[in-house]
Amino acid sequence: QVQVVESGGGLVQAGGSLRLSCVASGSIKRINTMSWYRQAPGEQRELVAGLTSGGTTNYPDSVKGRFWISRANVKNTVSLQMNNLKPEDTAIYYCKANVIEYGKDDFTDYWGQGTQVTVSS
């Protein structure tokens, strides 16, 4: 079993910053990618940042230059630094880990429970 836990959400004024953290734990043999998604009320879940095991990052245009995903010093942990936040960034932010577990051959996606980010105007 694999667990994914996010932390660091909260309320911030427009133009402010927040830093989210995500840790994956459990029977993890290898992590392929770790990614952040968000879902606003009535909207589909969308990718906001991805990080491969090789260090390649991926961002949509809506957050490029404002959001940065990086590995933390703690094993299997990534952070999402969000700067110059806008009201339209308000959403629940989810972390996803794509992993191979011990005793298995295929990659499996595991999601965290989400953390709320609210940006006031």
Side-chain angles (χ1 to χ4, degrees), residues 1-5 23-34 75-77 97-104 107-108 110:
Q1 276 286 4
V2 174
Q3 299 80 38
V4 177
V5 179
V23 58
S25 61
S27 183
I28 298 173
K29 180 179 181 180
R30 178 186 161 196
I31 292 182
N32 181 33
T33 61
M34 292 189 76
K75 186 178 180 180
N76 297 340
T77 301
N98 181 252
V99 310
I100 289 182
E101 298 170 76
Y102 286 106
K104 297 183 179 180
F107 284 102
T108 303
Y110 286 91

Side-chain angles (χ1 to χ4, degrees), residues 3-110:
Q3 299 80 38
V4 177
V5 179
E6 307 100 335
S7 61
L11 173 65
V12 64
Q13 288 188 333
S17 298
L18 279 176
R19 188 176 183 87
L20 307 182
S21 291
C22 170
V23 58
S25 61
S27 183
I28 298 173
K29 180 179 181 180
R30 178 186 161 196
I31 292 182
N32 181 33
T33 61
M34 292 189 76
S35 308
W36 287 95
Y37 288 73
R38 67 186 180 189
Q39 188 167 19
E43 301 290 333
Q44 288 190 336
R45 193 171 294 189
E46 62 173 352
L47 174 73
V48 294
L51 176 64
T52 70
S53 58
T56 300
T57 57
N58 180 39
Y59 307 95
D61 289 342
S62 59
V63 307
K64 199 172 290 184
R66 300 190 298 122
F67 290 14
W68 285 270
I69 186 171
S70 62
R71 289 192 187 92
N73 291 330
V74 179
K75 186 178 180 180
N76 297 340
T77 301
V78 294
S79 297
L80 182 67
Q81 178 67 40
M82 304 184 294
N83 296 336
N84 189 23
L85 283 160
K86 304 175 181 181
E88 52 263 42
D89 294 318
T90 295
I92 298 175
Y93 283 70
Y94 298 90
C95 180
K96 185 185 79 172
N98 181 252
V99 310
I100 289 182
E101 298 170 76
Y102 286 106
K104 297 183 179 180
D105 297 322
D106 298 331
F107 284 102
T108 303
D109 289 335
Y110 286 91

